[in-house]
Structure formats: structure tokens, C-alpha cells
Amino acid sequence: MTHIIEILVSADGQSRLQTRGFAGESCQEASRFLEAALGQVASENKTAEFYLPAPARARLEEQAG
């Protein structure tokens, strides 16, 4: 599955991150550095993909780390 992180910037300078192709909380981990670079998070809307179970490999890494 392809992982995509889009950064959408509006004309007034507000930015929005949107992830695609991630399952479970991996989207938050993948976009965390961008959120930190862009500044304060005003709101967060979880996609349906967020509630999908993470792939087995990712779950093992989370348990080990």
C-alpha cells in the first residue's frame, strides 16, 4: 500500500496535513515531524483508516519499543 502525506496550505496561510494509505496509529507516527515543523495543531480528524488494525509488523515494533 502506498503511503501519502499531503500538506495543504490555504491562501490565508493555514496548513492541513492529510495522510492516506496508513492503517492504525502509524499515520500519526509518520506525520509527527511535519506537525512539529508546522506548529500548533488546531484540530484533528481521524480517518476511517485510523481505525483499521495496524499491520502485524508494525504491531510487533510498537510492542518491542
Side-chain angles (χ1 to χ4, degrees):
M1 181 178 279
T2 302
H3 297 133
I4 298 171
I5 301 175
E6 290 180 326
I7 303 172
L8 307 168
V9 181
S10 65
D12 64 357
Q14 293 186 355
S15 59
R16 185 177 83 184
L17 287 178
Q18 184 169 348
T19 61
R20 295 186 183 149
F22 293 90
E25 297 177 359
S26 63
C27 59
Q28 292 177 321
E29 295 169 16
S31 62
R32 185 170 293 134
F33 75 99
L34 291 169
E35 288 180 9
L38 293 171
Q40 184 177 4
V41 176
S43 67
E44 179 176 291
N45 296 317
K46 294 179 173 78
T47 65
E49 292 173 323
F50 178 84
Y51 298 101
L52 294 175
R57 181 176 174 193
R59 284 193 300 251
L60 290 174
E61 290 174 355
E62 289 174 6
Q63 291 173 356

